[in-house]
Amino acid sequence: MNDEIKHFPENVQKLLADARIPIKQLKPIYYELTIGEQFPDDSIRLIEVNNSLIEELEKSKKLVIRGANDDFAALCTSDQIFEIKSAETSNTLLLASPLDSSSVNKENGCIALTVNSILHAKLELTQCVPRLKRISQLFEENPYRGHFDDDNDIENPKPKITMENIKSEVQASDQAIDAYLKKLNVVTIDGYLRLLDFDFRTKLIEYIFSLLSIQDWSKDHIPIDRCATEMKEICPKYVAKQFLEQIGTISNDGNSISLNANTISTHYALDLLRNLEKMKLSEFMTCWRECVPSDFPIDLDQLKGFVIISEGTISYIDTDNLSEKPYERMKTLFSRKNTWTLSEIEPFLSSLTTSNAEFNSLLAMHTRCIIKDGQKYYVPKYN
């Protein structure tokens, strides 16, 4: 008999012969399986990941899964987020481990294994968009309004939010969370994260402009420490410093800031529009120019993603209040405006997709393209 066949017990040899499996194609090794004492161990799951995720996991040494109780499970890395779904496998999977270091019998090629678990499914990852809307929802209940803030109301305590709270509940990468908090102009107060009230931000900006006049400071060189000290009448110095850093560019030495003209101009534009249903565009441009210092440029491109311009009017739209469901968001947008150019609609849809291909697919699914006066427009596919 072939030496390779002798490595297998007689019952294994007969089984191979009945199955007509060529012995020569097999390695002279076979496995002896023993059911483990804790079988089946239901705590074990298999998850399929790509090479980049393996590198990320090896680097961070941790697997971060985020979401509230009513959310789907989301695996979050430093810069990506994946929805975790269970998928049935075509074959049953046995998870086994060696009995001990001497489990390999070199004489007959037998490897003894203990079967710990049996699986009929694995976890698969699908890249998805970060769900950041919950962050603004967490903050809107308790915006900060300065020294007269009512956060210390014992009878009606307000929720206190930490970075740990956000990262445990919000399905987003660390990078996306940090960028969103910066966009919202969140500050740290007594160890907790707080959103500055919009009207209070307006008050702070106006106070800074008054200081520029009184102190004869240049808008391109505002001393951070001195300015924050002067602002202590309306908020603590450490809050004022955080606000100054939000609305300006810090100098190389870290001692001064240069006001960001775009940030200031955009704020005043939204201040004009946010409490109005709509406004005549010509009237808005006049008022906007009067609100903003003359050497600060104003341009409608600064307001992309904040406003809708239609039939000679302009209106504010809060993207954070739009539905995260593509169909519902499209429905809302087309109820506000019948036709859109690509550059107009893109800022309102980009947060729903993870790639250009997904974005184009979203447009193709919900809109159709028309040409009017040589310009391409998008209209709803279904009315």
Side-chain angles (χ1 to χ4, degrees), residues 21-40:
I21 298 176
I23 300 297
K24 292 182 178 180
Q25 294 182 10
L26 301 177
K27 292 182 178 181
I29 294 175
Y30 68 96
Y31 297 88
E32 182 179 85
L33 303 181
T34 303
I35 301 299
E37 295 181 0
Q38 303 299 321
F39 179 88

mmCIF file of all heavy atoms in Angstrom, residues 21-40:
data_model
loop_
_atom_site.group_PDB
_atom_site.id
_atom_site.type_symbol
_atom_site.label_atom_id
_atom_site.label_comp_id
_atom_site.label_asym_id
_atom_site.label_seq_id
_atom_site.Cartn_x
_atom_site.Cartn_y
_atom_site.Cartn_z
ATOM 1 N N ILE A 21 -11.785 10.055 -3.641
ATOM 2 C CA ILE A 21 -10.885 11.196 -3.500
ATOM 3 C C ILE A 21 -9.458 10.718 -3.711
ATOM 4 O O ILE A 21 -8.992 9.833 -2.969
ATOM 5 C CB ILE A 21 -11.018 11.844 -2.104
ATOM 6 C CG1 ILE A 21 -12.445 12.387 -1.920
ATOM 7 C CG2 ILE A 21 -9.990 12.963 -1.917
ATOM 8 C CD1 ILE A 21 -12.696 12.962 -0.540
ATOM 9 N N PRO A 22 -8.732 11.249 -4.694
ATOM 10 C CA PRO A 22 -7.352 10.814 -4.957
ATOM 11 C C PRO A 22 -6.456 11.062 -3.749
ATOM 12 O O PRO A 22 -6.305 12.204 -3.299
ATOM 13 C CB PRO A 22 -6.927 11.675 -6.145
ATOM 14 C CG PRO A 22 -8.218 12.105 -6.776
ATOM 15 C CD PRO A 22 -9.177 12.259 -5.649
ATOM 16 N N ILE A 23 -5.890 9.992 -3.244
ATOM 17 C CA ILE A 23 -5.058 10.095 -2.054
ATOM 18 C C ILE A 23 -3.841 10.971 -2.290
ATOM 19 O O ILE A 23 -3.395 11.719 -1.418
ATOM 20 C CB ILE A 23 -4.618 8.699 -1.589
ATOM 21 C CG1 ILE A 23 -5.845 7.840 -1.247
ATOM 22 C CG2 ILE A 23 -3.691 8.797 -0.375
ATOM 23 C CD1 ILE A 23 -6.661 8.371 -0.109
ATOM 24 N N LYS A 24 -3.290 10.890 -3.493
ATOM 25 C CA LYS A 24 -2.061 11.618 -3.790
ATOM 26 C C LYS A 24 -2.250 13.137 -3.704
ATOM 27 O O LYS A 24 -1.274 13.871 -3.583
ATOM 28 C CB LYS A 24 -1.547 11.242 -5.170
ATOM 29 C CG LYS A 24 -1.048 9.811 -5.256
ATOM 30 C CD LYS A 24 -0.490 9.510 -6.643
ATOM 31 C CE LYS A 24 0.052 8.083 -6.709
ATOM 32 N NZ LYS A 24 0.603 7.778 -8.055
ATOM 33 N N GLN A 25 -3.489 13.593 -3.802
ATOM 34 C CA GLN A 25 -3.740 15.041 -3.733
ATOM 35 C C GLN A 25 -3.858 15.547 -2.292
ATOM 36 O O GLN A 25 -3.989 16.740 -2.048
ATOM 37 C CB GLN A 25 -5.028 15.385 -4.497
ATOM 38 C CG GLN A 25 -4.940 15.142 -5.994
ATOM 39 C CD GLN A 25 -6.221 15.535 -6.707
ATOM 40 O OE1 GLN A 25 -7.096 16.155 -6.117
ATOM 41 N NE2 GLN A 25 -6.311 15.185 -7.990
ATOM 42 N N LEU A 26 -3.850 14.613 -1.366
ATOM 43 C CA LEU A 26 -4.010 14.984 0.037
ATOM 44 C C LEU A 26 -2.679 14.971 0.770
ATOM 45 O O LEU A 26 -1.795 14.162 0.477
ATOM 46 C CB LEU A 26 -4.964 14.001 0.730
ATOM 47 C CG LEU A 26 -6.378 13.882 0.151
ATOM 48 C CD1 LEU A 26 -7.146 12.820 0.919
ATOM 49 C CD2 LEU A 26 -7.095 15.213 0.212
ATOM 50 N N LYS A 27 -2.569 15.895 1.724
ATOM 51 C CA LYS A 27 -1.392 15.888 2.578
ATOM 52 C C LYS A 27 -1.568 14.764 3.597
ATOM 53 O O LYS A 27 -2.693 14.456 4.006
ATOM 54 C CB LYS A 27 -1.235 17.234 3.301
ATOM 55 C CG LYS A 27 -0.904 18.388 2.382
ATOM 56 C CD LYS A 27 -0.719 19.668 3.175
ATOM 57 C CE LYS A 27 -0.336 20.825 2.249
ATOM 58 N NZ LYS A 27 -0.133 22.081 3.003
ATOM 59 N N PRO A 28 -0.491 14.165 4.024
ATOM 60 C CA PRO A 28 -0.590 13.040 4.970
ATOM 61 C C PRO A 28 -0.927 13.504 6.385
ATOM 62 O O PRO A 28 -0.197 13.247 7.351
ATOM 63 C CB PRO A 28 0.810 12.414 4.894
ATOM 64 C CG PRO A 28 1.706 13.552 4.557
ATOM 65 C CD PRO A 28 0.904 14.411 3.617
ATOM 66 N N ILE A 29 -2.028 14.279 6.488
ATOM 67 C CA ILE A 29 -2.458 14.815 7.782
ATOM 68 C C ILE A 29 -3.972 14.653 7.880
ATOM 69 O O ILE A 29 -4.691 14.832 6.900
ATOM 70 C CB ILE A 29 -2.106 16.315 7.910
ATOM 71 C CG1 ILE A 29 -0.575 16.505 7.928
ATOM 72 C CG2 ILE A 29 -2.715 16.917 9.173
ATOM 73 C CD1 ILE A 29 -0.158 17.963 7.924
ATOM 74 N N TYR A 30 -4.454 14.321 9.044
ATOM 75 C CA TYR A 30 -5.897 14.308 9.267
ATOM 76 C C TYR A 30 -6.172 14.865 10.660
ATOM 77 O O TYR A 30 -5.274 14.994 11.487
ATOM 78 C CB TYR A 30 -6.472 12.893 9.101
ATOM 79 C CG TYR A 30 -6.045 11.899 10.150
ATOM 80 C CD1 TYR A 30 -6.854 11.646 11.250
ATOM 81 C CD2 TYR A 30 -4.837 11.209 10.027
ATOM 82 C CE1 TYR A 30 -6.467 10.727 12.208
ATOM 83 C CE2 TYR A 30 -4.447 10.289 10.975
ATOM 84 C CZ TYR A 30 -5.274 10.051 12.075
ATOM 85 O OH TYR A 30 -4.886 9.149 13.018
ATOM 86 N N TYR A 31 -7.431 15.234 10.891
ATOM 87 C CA TYR A 31 -7.798 15.902 12.138
ATOM 88 C C TYR A 31 -8.736 15.023 12.954
ATOM 89 O O TYR A 31 -9.667 14.410 12.423
ATOM 90 C CB TYR A 31 -8.485 17.241 11.841
ATOM 91 C CG TYR A 31 -7.589 18.234 11.135
ATOM 92 C CD1 TYR A 31 -7.507 18.258 9.737
ATOM 93 C CD2 TYR A 31 -6.814 19.133 11.855
ATOM 94 C CE1 TYR A 31 -6.674 19.154 9.083
ATOM 95 C CE2 TYR A 31 -5.984 20.039 11.213
ATOM 96 C CZ TYR A 31 -5.915 20.041 9.823
ATOM 97 O OH TYR A 31 -5.087 20.915 9.189
ATOM 98 N N GLU A 32 -8.496 15.008 14.234
ATOM 99 C CA GLU A 32 -9.366 14.301 15.169
ATOM 100 C C GLU A 32 -10.083 15.366 15.998
ATOM 101 O O GLU A 32 -9.448 16.127 16.731
ATOM 102 C CB GLU A 32 -8.534 13.385 16.069
ATOM 103 C CG GLU A 32 -9.363 12.565 17.036
ATOM 104 C CD GLU A 32 -8.478 11.661 17.874
ATOM 105 O OE1 GLU A 32 -7.966 12.150 18.910
ATOM 106 O OE2 GLU A 32 -8.289 10.514 17.474
ATOM 107 N N LEU A 33 -11.384 15.449 15.845
ATOM 108 C CA LEU A 33 -12.164 16.511 16.491
ATOM 109 C C LEU A 33 -12.836 16.009 17.754
ATOM 110 O O LEU A 33 -13.447 14.936 17.769
ATOM 111 C CB LEU A 33 -13.224 17.041 15.523
ATOM 112 C CG LEU A 33 -12.725 17.580 14.178
ATOM 113 C CD1 LEU A 33 -13.887 18.082 13.344
ATOM 114 C CD2 LEU A 33 -11.699 18.672 14.380
ATOM 115 N N THR A 34 -12.733 16.831 18.797
ATOM 116 C CA THR A 34 -13.385 16.534 20.069
ATOM 117 C C THR A 34 -14.254 17.730 20.453
ATOM 118 O O THR A 34 -13.804 18.873 20.364
ATOM 119 C CB THR A 34 -12.342 16.284 21.183
ATOM 120 O OG1 THR A 34 -11.489 15.219 20.785
ATOM 121 C CG2 THR A 34 -13.030 15.935 22.500
ATOM 122 N N ILE A 35 -15.485 17.470 20.854
ATOM 123 C CA ILE A 35 -16.378 18.550 21.258
ATOM 124 C C ILE A 35 -15.920 19.118 22.601
ATOM 125 O O ILE A 35 -15.704 18.365 23.567
ATOM 126 C CB ILE A 35 -17.830 18.057 21.368
ATOM 127 C CG1 ILE A 35 -18.300 17.505 20.023
ATOM 128 C CG2 ILE A 35 -18.747 19.189 21.831
ATOM 129 C CD1 ILE A 35 -18.278 18.517 18.903
ATOM 130 N N GLY A 36 -15.742 20.447 22.650
ATOM 131 C CA GLY A 36 -15.281 21.089 23.870
ATOM 132 C C GLY A 36 -16.314 21.109 24.971
ATOM 133 O O GLY A 36 -17.521 20.954 24.729
ATOM 134 N N GLU A 37 -15.872 21.310 26.208
ATOM 135 C CA GLU A 37 -16.774 21.321 27.364
ATOM 136 C C GLU A 37 -17.774 22.467 27.309
ATOM 137 O O GLU A 37 -18.894 22.349 27.810
ATOM 138 C CB GLU A 37 -15.951 21.406 28.654
ATOM 139 C CG GLU A 37 -15.075 20.187 28.906
ATOM 140 C CD GLU A 37 -14.314 20.312 30.202
ATOM 141 O OE1 GLU A 37 -14.482 21.355 30.895
ATOM 142 O OE2 GLU A 37 -13.542 19.385 30.541
ATOM 143 N N GLN A 38 -17.378 23.614 26.715
ATOM 144 C CA GLN A 38 -18.264 24.786 26.655
ATOM 145 C C GLN A 38 -19.010 24.878 25.325
ATOM 146 O O GLN A 38 -19.621 25.897 25.031
ATOM 147 C CB GLN A 38 -17.435 26.069 26.861
ATOM 148 C CG GLN A 38 -16.635 26.105 28.154
ATOM 149 C CD GLN A 38 -17.519 26.016 29.372
ATOM 150 O OE1 GLN A 38 -18.606 26.589 29.416
ATOM 151 N NE2 GLN A 38 -17.062 25.274 30.382
ATOM 152 N N PHE A 39 -18.962 23.836 24.536
ATOM 153 C CA PHE A 39 -19.624 23.858 23.218
ATOM 154 C C PHE A 39 -21.156 23.889 23.387
ATOM 155 O O PHE A 39 -21.707 23.172 24.218
ATOM 156 C CB PHE A 39 -19.223 22.612 22.429
ATOM 157 C CG PHE A 39 -19.859 22.519 21.070
ATOM 158 C CD1 PHE A 39 -19.253 23.098 19.974
ATOM 159 C CD2 PHE A 39 -21.071 21.863 20.905
ATOM 160 C CE1 PHE A 39 -19.846 23.012 18.725
ATOM 161 C CE2 PHE A 39 -21.659 21.780 19.660
ATOM 162 C CZ PHE A 39 -21.051 22.353 18.569
ATOM 163 N N PRO A 40 -21.879 24.689 22.582
ATOM 164 C CA PRO A 40 -21.327 25.706 21.666
ATOM 165 C C PRO A 40 -21.114 27.034 22.374
ATOM 166 O O PRO A 40 -21.957 27.465 23.153
ATOM 167 C CB PRO A 40 -22.437 25.832 20.619
ATOM 168 C CG PRO A 40 -23.708 25.557 21.380
ATOM 169 C CD PRO A 40 -23.334 24.552 22.442
#
